[in-house]
């Protein structure tokens, strides 16, 4: 088989940067990407034959682990029945039912094909409903690559040090207002300055794209209060946290009801899916029941719906608390190793997610995150990869653990960390 090196050389001639999404190129960690031949459970195998413990998990979708037999079977059984109809099919209704049942604040839901589509459509709906244009977004939160959200540094953009990006016209971001995460003062100030103009506040209820930064005490409650008081819609971007922070997402875990929710990643079981939903009175404004246009040739794709249904059915029966306890223990053991080696880190954890920040300071927003030692992380990444462990190729990301990761995988990871520091 051709090596990763050979594939990457070919890829760079055909695909910009050799990759179809920037962070995969490993530029932030100073090495070339490895090409994947296959993945199973908590492991990926490269074309070079290295089997590694995987904490990227496709950036979140694979909460059940790779190639879960029941998810694979659902896809295999659905494929011969046709891979796209451009007309409704039962699986769309069944998946919508599962999502609505899991998220009390979602009475109706619309399927799309990615998280990016979900957030841009939710923003359009919020603007349509309120008749206002402005949106408040938090610095360091990532909501996909639609123009209005590229007003500041997101995950990929931030780590590549590109301020915004060329190609986004000023007019498409002039209504995007930025505030630091976990601070209500900035939001209050914006609501005061732009009274009656703000359509929505969009937030990752636990930030996962600047590393894992959980919400501070009272932050989400404050956003809920401010949105209600100002007639603005609160959008929870749960593309990562949906079905991961808890089966019913971060909103169920913290008991706060947003007006709109965006989902992606897990709900497609590894196939391309996104969704947005919320109160029926808002969702009925979407075409064709309402006047806010949004469409998609492949939306509600039968293969993606089958994979999503199989995934959610399995997750519904899964013991989230047990996984959380295991990840807590494992990440504490990891922390001990850093301490033994005299390397200052701060580990944030929530459910099956964690981030190792190379700092001895507190992390509550993107300004804090930027103070971390990205070079030290890059060196750690390279050593861990040599030692058979695949962690995110960027200091500002979240490690994802799946139900398929075994205690043996954890032990192997701890041993690799010992050798890597
Ligand atoms: C991944 C992500 C998105 C974008 O989803 P894509 O499927 O990559 O378009 C949006 N919001 C959050 C919080 C994400 O983590």
């Amino acid at each position: 088989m051709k090596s990763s090196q050979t594939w990457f050389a070919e890829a760079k001639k055909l695909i910009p940067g050799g990759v179809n999404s920037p962070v995969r190129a490993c530029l932030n960690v100073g090495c070339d990407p490895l090409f994947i031949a296959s993945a199973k459970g908590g492991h990926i195998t490269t074309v070079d034959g290295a089997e590694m413990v995987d904490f990227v998990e496709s950036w979140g979708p694979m909460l059940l682990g790779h190639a879960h037999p029941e998810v694979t079977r659902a896809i295999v059984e659905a494929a011969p029945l046709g891979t796209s109809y451009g007309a409704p099919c039962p699986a769309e209704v069944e998946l919508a039912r599962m999502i609505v049942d899991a998220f009390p604040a979602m009475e109706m839901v619309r399927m799309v094909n990615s998280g990016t589509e979900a957030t841009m459509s939710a923003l359009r709906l919020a603007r349509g409903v309120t008749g206002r244009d402005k949106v408040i977004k938090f610095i360091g939160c990532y909501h996909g690559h639609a123009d209005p959200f590229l007003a500041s540094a997101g995950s990929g953009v931030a780590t590549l040090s590109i301020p915004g990006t060329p190609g986004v016209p000023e007019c498409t971001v002039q209504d995007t207002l930025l505030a630091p995460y976990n601070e209500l003062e900035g939001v209050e100030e914006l609501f005061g300055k732009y009274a009656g103009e703000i359509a929505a506040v969009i937030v990752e209820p636990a930030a996962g794209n600047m590393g894992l930064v959980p919400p501070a005490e009272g932050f989400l409650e404050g956003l809920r209060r401010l949105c209600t008081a100002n007639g603005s819609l609160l959008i929870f971007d749960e593309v990562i946290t949906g079905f991961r922070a808890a089966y019913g997402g971060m909103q169920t875990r913290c008991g706060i009801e947003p007006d709109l929710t965006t989902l992606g990643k897990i709900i497609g079981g590894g196939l391309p899916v996104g969704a947005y939903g919320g109160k029926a009175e808002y969702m009925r404004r979407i075409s064709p029941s309402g006047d806010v246009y949004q469409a998609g040739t492949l939306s509600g794709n039968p293969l993606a719906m089958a994979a999503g249904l199989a995934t959610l059915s399995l997750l519904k029966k899964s013991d989230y608390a047990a996984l959380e306890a295991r990840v807590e223990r494992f990440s504490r053991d990891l922390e001990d190793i850093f301490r033994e080696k005299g390397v200052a880190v701060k580990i944030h954890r929530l459910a099956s997610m964690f981030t190792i920040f190379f700092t001895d300071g507190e992390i509550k927003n993107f300004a804090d995150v930027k103070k971390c030692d990205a070079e030290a992380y890059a060196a750690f990444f390279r050593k861990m990869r040599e030692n058979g462990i695949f962690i995110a190729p960027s200091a500002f990301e979240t490690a994802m653990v799946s139900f398929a990761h075994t205690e043996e995988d954890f032990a192997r990871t701890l041993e690799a960390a010992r050798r890597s520091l």
Side-chain angles (χ1 to χ4, degrees):
M1 208 183 312
K2 280 191 268 188
S3 68
S4 284
Q5 206 184 350
T6 309
W7 278 117
F8 191 48
E10 277 183 40
K12 279 194 286 189
K13 290 185 204 139
L14 297 165
I15 304 169
V19 292
N20 282 312
S21 196
V23 73
R24 295 179 199 171
C26 294
L27 290 175
N28 304 307
V29 285
C31 54
D32 287 344
L34 299 179
F35 277 61
I36 308 305
S38 67
K40 178 79 190 150
H43 297 176
I44 49 173
T45 302
T46 69
V47 295
D48 316 287
E51 197 204 30
M52 301 196 285
V53 182
D54 177 26
F55 291 103
V56 176
E57 293 284 351
S58 183
W59 302 93
M62 314 315 301
L63 179 53
L64 290 168
H66 294 285
H68 189 290
E70 286 185 41
V71 179
T72 305
R73 183 157 50 96
I75 298 168
V76 167
E77 283 176 2
L81 307 177
T83 52
S84 185
Y85 312 129
C89 69
E92 293 170 272
V93 188
E94 288 170 358
L95 188 59
R97 166 68 61 204
M98 288 205 83
I99 291 172
V100 162
D101 284 348
F103 285 73
M106 291 169 92
E107 293 170 353
M108 297 180 93
V109 62
R110 169 61 66 84
M111 300 296 170
V112 291
N113 303 293
S114 66
T116 295
E117 273 187 67
T119 54
M120 73 179 207
S121 306
L123 176 58
R124 181 180 303 146
L125 176 58
R127 285 170 161 170
V129 163
T130 58
R132 304 171 180 178
D133 291 341
K134 297 203 185 300
V135 58
I136 297 177
K137 171 196 179 289
F138 295 94
I139 299 161
C141 281
Y142 179 67
H143 304 294
H145 64 88
D147 284 5
F149 301 120
L150 292 181
S152 89
S155 107
V157 176
T159 49
L160 290 174
S161 306
I162 300 165
T165 173
V168 172
E170 217 168 288
C171 62
T172 61
V173 291
Q174 73 188 11
D175 288 318
T176 306
L177 309 169
L178 299 171
Y181 193 72
N182 270 338
E183 286 173 25
L184 285 175
E185 298 77 33
V187 185
E188 278 162 357
E189 202 178 300
L190 289 171
F191 270 116
K193 194 164 169 195
Y194 300 101
E197 293 181 63
I198 296 169
V201 173
I202 186 165
V203 66
E204 288 180 78
N209 285 290
M210 51 175 143
L212 176 66
V213 182
E217 188 76 37
F219 177 60
L220 298 174
E221 289 82 352
L223 295 183
R224 178 65 278 176
R225 180 171 42 76
L226 285 166
C227 283
T228 305
N230 289 281
S232 306
L233 302 199
L234 179 60
I235 306 173
F236 272 9
D237 182 354
E238 298 229 41
V239 170
I240 288 181
T241 52
F243 296 96
R244 184 176 285 273
Y247 184 75
M250 193 61 189
Q251 55 195 264
T252 307
R253 193 178 169 113
C254 64
I256 295 169
E257 293 210 341
D259 298 296
L260 298 175
T261 299
T262 56
L263 298 171
K265 299 195 168 112
I266 289 173
I267 61 163
L271 270 70
V273 185
Y276 65 103
K279 295 197 175 93
E281 65 172 297
Y282 302 140
M283 292 305 291
R284 286 207 181 94
R285 287 289 301 275
I286 297 289
S287 54
S289 57
D291 50 353
V292 177
Y293 189 72
Q294 186 272 310
T297 300
L298 295 171
S299 295
N301 175 268
L303 285 196
M305 297 299 104
L309 272 171
T311 298
L312 298 196
S313 304
L314 287 160
L315 287 178
K316 203 173 173 190
K317 300 182 284 189
S318 297
D319 191 344
Y320 279 72
L323 179 60
E324 179 157 354
R326 289 179 62 225
V327 173
E328 157 119 35
R329 264 196 310 278
F330 161 60
S331 59
R332 286 202 187 281
D333 290 346
L334 200 52
E335 209 163 8
D336 287 343
I337 293 171
F338 280 95
R339 198 172 301 119
E340 280 163 28
K341 301 277 182 180
V343 181
V345 293
K346 187 127 271 167
I347 297 191
H348 284 184
R349 44 179 84 77
L350 180 79
S352 51
M353 301 175 278
F354 69 92
T355 292
I356 308 162
F357 291 104
F358 282 69
T359 180
D360 49 10
E362 292 297 317
I363 306 272
K364 56 181 186 1
N365 60 35
F366 193 57
D368 300 330
V369 168
K370 278 198 301 192
K371 289 183 211 145
C372 293
D373 189 345
E375 279 308 309
Y377 181 89
F380 181 66
F381 169 89
R382 292 191 299 267
K383 290 259 185 59
M384 287 294 272
R385 203 173 74 169
E386 279 164 29
N387 286 314
I389 312 293
F390 186 50
I391 56 175
S394 157
F396 307 144
E397 301 289 354
T398 299
M400 303 287 176
V401 187
S402 77
F403 282 103
H405 282 88
T406 62
E407 289 305 310
E408 197 191 331
D409 293 332
F410 292 162
R412 205 175 130 189
T413 306
L414 295 173
E415 184 46 40
R418 255 183 221 107
R419 272 184 277 135
S420 300
L421 289 167

